[in-house]
Amino acid sequence: MDLLNYQDKFFLFTTPAKPKNMAIDFYDYGELKSGFAGWRVSGTVRNKRYQKYFSIRNTHPFIRDSEWNEYQRLRAQHYYARLRMRSFAAQYFDQLRSDHPRTLAGRGLGFRGVTLGILRNPGSERYHCQFIVNLREQTQRFVINAEQSFDAAWDLAIDQWTSAFEIRKKDADRIRKEKKPGPDAFKYLRRIMNDEGQNIPVDALHFVFAHQRAELKRRKMSETLQGRNGSSSDDFWGEQELGEFAAHLAQEIERHKGRSQA
């Protein structure tokens, strides 16, 4: 969505279908007790009411009535289009700043369109943590498992959300960085869902914390190697490389265990 290049320019020349919070109406002579004749445009944006009148009563002796009527019609529809643009812009930015009003506790991320979930696949007893892109047509789920890390699932979910909701790149980049949850968000969600009556086991969080466990093991192994070998100057690999390699092997073992449990 390019808010600076609004595409519905036909609003300037036709009368589009009315949104629920917008109205553009024409009143001929004698229809209103006030005596007004012309166009009335009204709308509500973020609970603020806007209203403007465009009279077809011609007080200009050198302008024909037909030309004045057409001029006022175009002014009314131009104002109506601007009001709708403001409404759409407000809706767009609101979805980047707040959860949907119907978002359940623990699922929201501070913007609309993506939520957290801990769900079971059909026919499976195992729960999986996942990012959910909430589309009207079809919900998209990005599961965190042995094949797809926490970071990878998050990036795929944000890519899908960006495309599906027509989010500007600079806004998507900010959301990707600033709204990314930590593993503890799923830990909190598990507690919330169990309080709601679910029975989600702690091993549902296994893959969510896999990266943290791998990093912790890498540090411990690096410290152990450093303690045993001193500076390790006589070895081809340094302490950090050995620690990373050992942590990688440990992570592969975790993935193998995860596949066998799935």
Side-chain angles (χ1 to χ4, degrees):
M1 177 188 295
D2 188 346
L3 298 177
L4 301 179
N5 184 21
Y6 188 63
Q7 296 179 355
D8 290 346
K9 295 180 180 179
F10 63 88
F11 284 144
L12 300 179
F13 308 104
T14 62
T15 303
K18 300 176 185 177
K20 292 182 179 179
N21 64 336
M22 299 285 169
I24 177 169
D25 299 297
F26 177 77
Y27 298 95
D28 208 344
Y29 291 103
E31 290 190 42
L32 296 179
K33 293 181 179 179
S34 64
F36 171 81
W39 299 87
R40 185 188 69 179
V41 180
S42 60
T44 302
V45 179
R46 285 182 174 166
N47 298 320
K48 183 176 181 180
R49 187 69 175 171
Y50 295 87
Q51 187 167 264
K52 195 166 185 178
Y53 292 85
F54 301 87
S55 174
I56 61 171
R57 192 177 299 277
N58 185 7
T59 59
H60 305 277
F62 301 106
I63 300 177
R64 289 180 293 184
D65 289 346
S66 60
E67 293 176 346
W68 177 254
N69 291 355
E70 181 65 8
Y71 171 67
Q72 291 294 76
R73 183 182 73 85
L74 292 175
R75 287 186 64 208
Q77 292 184 339
H78 180 259
Y79 182 78
Y80 178 73
R82 289 178 56 196
L83 202 57
R84 288 198 66 181
M85 285 176 60
R86 180 174 294 187
S87 176
F88 292 146
Q91 293 175 37
Y92 174 83
F93 288 116
D94 286 347
Q95 76 172 336
L96 303 180
R97 297 169 178 166
S98 62
D99 293 318
H100 192 279
R102 293 196 294 272
T103 302
L104 298 178
R107 281 79 164 177
L109 292 168
F111 66 101
R112 303 180 189 184
V114 181
T115 53
L116 304 180
I118 306 178
L119 304 170
R120 289 182 298 185
N121 291 331
S124 173
E125 294 298 320
R126 184 176 177 83
Y127 284 88
H128 292 280
C129 295
Q130 50 200 272
F131 297 106
I132 304 172
V133 180
N134 302 288
L135 303 174
R136 291 182 180 179
E137 300 82 6
Q138 184 178 2
T139 298
Q140 298 287 326
R141 305 181 187 279
F142 298 88
V143 178
I144 303 166
N145 53 27
E147 289 74 30
Q148 187 163 265
S149 68
F150 186 104
D151 292 344
W154 170 253
D155 284 334
L156 287 173
I158 294 301
D159 288 344
Q160 178 64 24
W161 170 76
T162 300
S163 174
F165 289 87
E166 298 183 339
I167 305 299
R168 297 185 302 181
K169 183 180 183 303
K170 66 177 183 179
D171 298 325
D173 290 344
R174 181 179 61 81
I175 291 293
R176 190 188 303 272
K177 179 180 179 181
E178 297 180 3
K179 298 291 186 178
K180 182 179 182 180
D184 285 338
F186 284 101
K187 183 178 180 181
Y188 174 70
L189 175 58
R190 172 180 172 266
R191 185 165 69 247
I192 290 291
M193 294 180 70
N194 284 344
D195 289 343
E196 294 171 349
Q198 302 284 345
N199 187 25
I200 302 174
V202 69
D203 66 2
L205 305 175
H206 176 80
F207 295 111
V208 167
F209 287 92
H211 178 76
Q212 287 188 350
R213 290 196 302 271
E215 178 64 18
L216 181 60
K217 288 181 180 179
R218 188 196 68 77
R219 291 179 182 177
K220 287 183 177 179
M221 290 178 181
S222 179
E223 292 170 359
T224 300
L225 290 169
Q226 183 177 5
R228 291 178 180 176
N229 303 325
S231 64
S232 298
S233 59
D234 58 336
D235 200 306
F236 180 76
W237 280 343
E239 303 150 14
Q240 182 176 355
E241 288 82 0
L242 285 173
E244 290 177 350
F245 181 71
H248 176 72
L249 292 178
Q251 192 171 12
E252 287 297 317
I253 294 173
E254 290 285 348
R255 289 179 179 175
H256 179 73
K257 287 169 59 179
R259 292 191 188 101
S260 62
Q261 294 173 3

